[in-house]
Amino acid sequence: MRRLREDRRRGEMERLFATEKIGGRALYKLQAITVLVGIYLVLCYRVTHVPAAAAGRAAWLGMLAAELWFGFYWVITQSVRWCPIRRRAFKDRLAARYGERLPCVDIFVCTADPQSEPPSLVMATILSLMAYNYPPEKLNVYLSDDGGSILTFYALWETSAFAKHWLPFCRRYNIEPRSPAAYFPQSDKPNDPRAFEEWSLVKGLYEEMTERIDSIVRSGKVPEEIKVNHKGFSEWSTGGNSKDHQPIVQILIDGKDRDAVDKEGNALPTLVYMAREKRPQYHHNFKAGAMNALIRVSSMISNSPIIMNVDCDMYSNNSDSIREALCFFLDEETGHKIAFVQYPQNYNNMTKNNIYGNSLNVINQVEMGGMDAWGGPLYIGTGCFHRREALCGRTFTKDYKEDWDRGIKTQQRIDLSEEKAKSLATCTYELNTLWGNKIGLKYGCPVEDVITGLAIHCRGWRSVYNDPPRAAFVGVGPTTIAQTILQHKRWSEGNFSIFLSKYCPFLFGHGKTRLPHQMGYCIYGLWAPNSLPTLYYVVIPSLGLLKGTSLFPEIMSPWITPFIYVSVVKNIYSLYEALTSGDTLRGWWNGQRMWMVKRITSYLYGVIDNIRKLLGLSKMGFVVSSKVSDEDESKRYEQEIMEFGTSSPEYVIIATIALLNLVCLVGGLAQFLTSGQNMLLNNFFLQVILCGLLVVINIPIYEAMFLRKDRGRIPFSVTLASLGFMMLALFVPIV
């Protein structure tokens, strides 16, 4: 018995998660030090070899400024590569220690527009979250509909009925993923006749439900005979629109009601629809405002100690994600320090070679783990489990102890809960309060998630990054270059606005978080200003080649060595990171193209918009990214053909740069060949290489302008405008 007690005691002391250092750091650090020395030598060359004559001096100093910035930003990026770590959760130990004595969890899903975010897609996400491998009576799923659409409410009402069939089906066959939209297209028909019968039944019910939802969304109206089936439809009897309507809170499934059971008699999770009040005279603070309203409404209905939020297009791909997250929160040694557990943002619609560079593989597998080593990853706004107390503004203290039994409330009448909750979702509730400042998600920034996570870290909390072998959440990534540019414009603009504000990580985090942690935040905060030196570097050396202005060392000069070494080693390591993170060689090359495209468009616009806001010329806005593509666009995306199709200022910039480099390369080579001089190899070797690489990387752009005939080509009007701007650029003097 004594030995049994000792074994049990040792078992109780076992950690619920492990932290593992990623190997190969000694070799990496050696490489990083040599690159740093190379950068120093490049800058030394620039400073000591400024042209004596006025011709080309300004261009030379511009190159110095660009390379100084690139060197500084490279140092910033090394913070997350110096000593990255990996986490591993032990669900078996959690089960042995706690059994089903687990905390309640509130799950938040936000949607805003039934046209850009089809309700049938949102409902598949909802179903995957309701079907977690977790006690259903401890799950509470909330849908925030910022569009206040009766179409979305109708879809959720349909979902509440289908869940009674879907949840027991998932439980009986332990299926993955538990989004029916993702499961049925990839699942094989069961061989067992009984299983096949049930599979066919549930599949048929889902397809019928989806068709009904899509049909009503297309019509834009819910028939009167359907409205009588639930009292919630009466909320739309007074009219209103997406920007002007009363608060709506409807509990479609009350998990505490003994009658709320699936077809096998098992309890169902609580399911709640919320549309916070919108009035034209009040600012609604975008997604941050919706999240804060959800925090308050959920505190009235369920008040769980753990809050998980996910985007409406990011379905649960791993039914054990909650249990894995709890391994970190419930760990006896360090769990009390953890404010949130962040999972990576994965997409299921990436092409094999990642045509638009949207896989985020390196960010997910390298950079986020690197930030975890210094204090925790940033909060990315989806796929995140929060400690409610930390999200609501609590400062970490060593004696803090969580009440994990919170959220288990006695049942009260649904109508009373709904009415009380509505009062928490009004436009005026937050007036003269700390909401959006000290409590909840921060206001005043397009990337409210990042600034909120930074504030949590600065209050003494840690966060954890968990990237399990089976992805926890999978969503839909951009499928056109326009969607990609829009997404990165929003990200870069928002992160740069943080850097320029009082929440700059170097200022706000000083003395509160470690310097490498602050640097990790600034990797994304400085995305936008990267546009200026990049734009300079893809234009001026090429113009210099055409006009005979040398901007790099001669080929026989020893000073050329650091330029070549830094460029080659940096790109080889970039390729290594991409390949080990799951990209292909061609995918890495596509990523390099998109790296340039995003810098000269999305990030450039991010800088311009921030300057306009600082000057009071514009206000913060938020555009919902469309999750819909037409059939032709989808086909070209699958074939990895770049999608343009419409006239856009961004496309003019892309095409102008591509044409400029092509003309400069051809014109420069032609001049040297006709003159018979050997200056090409001697003075302009690196400029030829740089301009040539830019031409090669822009081959899909040339094809879209001159060779393609499909609807996704670059419109002739864009090509014509680009030719005009290119001709103007050729007259720019290199001084």
Side-chain angles (χ1 to χ4, degrees):
M1 288 295 294
R2 181 180 178 182
R3 188 172 182 178
L4 180 62
R5 286 196 297 270
E6 289 177 355
D7 289 344
R8 186 177 300 169
R9 191 179 299 114
R10 282 196 296 269
E12 290 175 351
M13 296 302 293
E14 284 185 316
R15 299 292 302 277
L16 293 179
F17 69 90
T19 301
E20 304 166 350
K21 291 184 178 180
I22 297 178
R25 291 302 95 188
L27 184 61
Y28 162 75
K29 291 177 181 179
L30 176 62
Q31 171 267 150
I33 290 171
T34 61
V35 170
L36 183 62
V37 172
I39 292 172
Y40 172 75
L41 292 175
V42 166
L43 297 176
C44 284
Y45 171 78
R46 286 291 178 202
V47 171
T48 58
H49 290 72
V50 178
R57 185 183 298 170
W60 188 278
L61 294 175
M63 295 293 286
L64 169 61
E67 288 158 356
L68 185 63
W69 175 267
F70 289 145
F72 166 74
Y73 187 73
W74 178 86
V75 171
I76 292 291
T77 63
Q78 301 316 293
S79 62
V80 296
R81 290 167 169 81
W82 202 249
C83 54
I85 59 175
R86 183 185 296 112
R87 309 283 190 176
R88 189 155 51 96
F90 301 119
K91 302 188 298 290
D92 54 341
R93 296 179 186 177
L94 179 76
R97 198 168 306 174
Y98 291 96
E100 296 299 289
R101 295 179 292 105
L102 299 169
C104 295
V105 178
D106 289 345
I107 300 175
F108 296 169
V109 182
C110 294
T111 187
D113 181 4
Q115 303 304 320
S116 298
E117 299 167 335
S120 56
L121 172 71
V122 179
M123 295 310 120
T125 297
I126 294 290
L127 287 164
S128 72
L129 301 171
M130 295 178 71
Y132 270 121
N133 178 24
Y134 203 75
E137 66 275 8
K138 296 185 178 182
L139 283 180
N140 309 279
V141 181
Y142 294 79
L143 176 64
S144 168
D145 176 19
D146 245 17
S149 172
I150 192 173
L151 305 176
T152 304
F153 178 77
Y154 163 74
L156 193 64
W157 172 72
E158 285 272 16
T159 300
S160 66
F162 176 70
K164 298 178 180 179
H165 300 272
W166 179 244
L167 270 58
F169 176 73
C170 294
R171 189 164 46 243
R172 180 177 300 107
Y173 299 103
N174 195 29
I175 70 167
E176 295 282 10
R178 297 191 174 181
S179 160
Y183 170 73
F184 285 120
Q186 68 183 35
S187 67
D188 296 324
K189 297 178 181 179
N191 294 323
D192 179 76
R194 185 174 179 181
F196 174 72
E197 182 181 357
E198 186 171 6
W199 180 87
S200 300
L201 172 64
V202 175
K203 184 174 185 289
L205 290 173
Y206 172 69
E207 290 173 347
E208 291 170 6
M209 179 192 75
T210 302
E211 176 55 34
R212 289 195 298 271
I213 292 173
D214 290 344
S215 176
I216 283 183
V217 170
R218 286 193 297 269
S219 69
K221 184 178 180 181
V222 178
E224 294 299 323
E225 59 268 22
I226 291 179
K227 293 181 180 180
V228 300
N229 292 310
H230 194 280
K231 62 182 178 62
F233 289 107
S234 63
E235 295 281 359
W236 284 267
S237 59
T238 56
N241 55 56
S242 61
K243 297 181 180 179
D244 189 1
H245 60 79
Q246 79 280 13
I248 303 171
V249 177
Q250 289 291 314
I251 302 174
L252 285 90
I253 300 177
D254 183 2
K256 301 178 182 67
D257 186 349
R258 293 182 178 179
D259 295 329
V261 295
D262 61 30
K263 68 172 189 174
E264 294 183 350
N266 299 306
L268 288 168
T270 294
L271 183 62
V272 182
Y273 172 92
M274 183 203 79
R276 60 191 171 120
E277 184 181 21
K278 291 277 194 73
R279 300 301 179 194
Q281 63 270 34
Y282 293 98
H283 197 291
H284 57 80
N285 295 302
F286 311 111
K287 183 181 176 182
M291 283 286 292
N292 285 343
L294 281 170
I295 293 171
R296 296 192 298 272
V297 167
S298 65
S299 70
M300 176 62 62
I301 296 172
S302 52
N303 198 35
S304 299
I306 298 294
I307 291 174
M308 187 267 274
N309 84 282
V310 66
D311 286 347
C312 64
D313 62 331
M314 296 287 292
Y315 65 83
S316 168
N317 188 59
N318 185 339
S319 59
D320 284 326
S321 297
I322 296 180
R323 294 179 184 269
E324 288 193 355
L326 290 177
C327 288
F328 300 100
F329 287 116
L330 296 179
D331 181 74
E332 287 83 357
E333 187 173 329
T334 59
H336 64 291
K337 302 176 183 178
I338 297 171
F340 61 88
V341 177
Q342 180 66 65
Y343 285 86
Q345 187 170 1
N346 294 295
Y347 300 129
N348 67 347
N349 64 332
M350 294 294 98
T351 60
K352 178 184 177 181
N353 296 305
N354 194 17
I355 182 65
Y356 296 122
N358 286 319
S359 69
L360 307 179
N361 285 345
V362 173
I363 291 178
N364 288 342
Q365 299 186 34
V366 177
E367 297 182 358
M368 296 291 273
M371 287 193 70
D372 201 356
W374 300 117
L378 43 75
Y379 166 39
I380 64 175
T382 184
C384 190
F385 290 82
H386 297 270
R387 190 186 297 267
R388 182 183 285 266
E389 292 283 345
L391 195 57
C392 288
R394 187 185 184 101
T395 300
F396 171 75
T397 57
K398 293 183 179 179
D399 59 349
Y400 171 74
K401 190 173 180 63
E402 180 66 77
D403 177 15
W404 293 116
D405 291 329
R406 286 192 318 131
I408 303 175
K409 290 185 174 183
T410 57
Q411 185 177 355
Q412 60 178 329
R413 286 173 49 190
I414 288 181
D415 55 345
L416 293 177
S417 297
E418 291 173 344
E419 288 304 315
K420 290 179 181 178
K422 284 180 185 179
S423 66
L424 304 177
T426 61
C427 291
T428 57
Y429 182 86
E430 294 181 351
L431 296 180
N432 302 316
T433 70
L434 296 177
W435 283 96
N437 184 11
K438 301 291 185 181
I439 305 175
L441 273 74
K442 296 280 187 179
Y443 292 158
C445 178
V447 285
E448 66 289 319
D449 35 29
V450 174
I451 196 172
T452 299
L454 175 61
I456 290 172
H457 283 136
C458 290
R459 291 199 297 269
W461 295 95
R462 288 186 59 90
S463 60
V464 162
Y465 182 65
N466 188 36
D467 186 11
R470 181 177 180 85
F473 302 96
V474 176
V476 179
T479 58
T480 67
I481 194 169
Q483 293 173 6
T484 301
I485 289 173
L486 174 62
Q487 184 181 71
H488 281 266
K489 175 184 175 297
R490 190 170 67 233
W491 287 351
S492 62
E493 177 187 348
N495 280 293
F496 190 40
S497 71
I498 294 175
F499 187 83
L500 296 176
S501 73
K502 65 178 181 179
Y503 294 108
C504 173
F506 288 134
L507 301 176
F508 189 65
H510 180 68
K512 302 171 185 175
T513 64
R514 301 169 73 178
L515 179 60
H517 202 208
Q518 299 165 25
M519 293 168 67
Y521 268 100
C522 288
I523 290 174
Y524 314 104
L526 295 176
W527 266 354
N530 270 319
S531 61
L532 302 178
T534 300
L535 193 60
Y536 191 90
Y537 227 82
V538 300
V539 171
I540 299 301
S542 298
L543 284 175
L545 174 64
L546 181 67
K547 296 174 183 293
T549 303
S550 177
L551 296 173
F552 290 98
E554 297 178 359
I555 192 170
M556 300 306 294
S557 168
W559 285 107
I560 201 172
T561 304
F563 282 89
I564 294 176
Y565 181 81
V566 170
S567 300
V568 171
V569 173
K570 184 177 178 296
N571 281 285
I572 288 176
Y573 192 78
S574 168
L575 174 61
Y576 165 77
E577 280 190 338
L579 294 178
T580 55
S581 297
D583 285 334
T584 63
L585 176 60
R586 187 175 174 186
W588 171 79
W589 181 251
N590 288 335
Q592 300 307 296
R593 179 188 305 111
M594 289 307 302
W595 170 86
M596 184 190 71
V597 165
K598 288 181 289 192
R599 286 192 175 194
I600 64 176
T601 56
S602 304
Y603 300 173
L604 179 62
Y605 277 45
V607 169
I608 294 171
D609 285 355
N610 269 287
I611 293 174
R612 286 171 53 83
K613 280 186 285 189
L614 289 174
L615 296 175
L617 300 177
S618 67
K619 296 181 179 180
M620 185 179 72
F622 186 88
V623 180
V624 177
S625 299
S626 176
K627 310 300 188 297
V628 181
S629 297
D630 64 34
E631 187 175 343
D632 286 343
E633 287 179 351
S634 298
K635 185 176 181 180
R636 285 190 289 272
Y637 177 67
E638 292 170 1
Q639 295 172 341
E640 297 193 324
I641 299 173
M642 295 189 75
E643 182 72 36
F644 296 94
T646 59
S647 297
S648 166
E650 292 91 341
Y651 299 163
V652 173
I653 297 173
I654 296 168
T656 300
I657 297 297
L659 287 172
L660 179 65
N661 280 277
L662 180 61
V663 169
C664 288
L665 180 64
V666 173
L669 291 177
Q671 288 183 28
F672 293 123
L673 290 174
T674 55
S675 66
Q677 300 177 359
N678 63 353
M679 290 176 57
L680 172 64
L681 289 178
N682 191 26
N683 293 351
F684 293 89
F685 176 74
L686 288 185
Q687 278 168 266
V688 170
I689 296 298
L690 175 60
C691 191
L693 285 173
L694 289 170
V695 168
V696 173
I697 210 169
N698 280 315
I699 285 176
I701 312 300
Y702 304 133
E703 292 175 345
M705 280 192 285
F706 303 119
L707 301 179
R708 287 168 51 187
K709 303 299 181 181
D710 57 80
R711 290 197 302 168
R713 68 186 183 278
I714 291 178
F716 179 72
S717 60
V718 171
T719 301
L720 194 62
S722 301
L723 284 168
F725 284 114
M726 183 268 294
M727 295 297 292
L728 289 175
L730 293 178
F731 290 102
V732 174
I734 301 297
V735 296

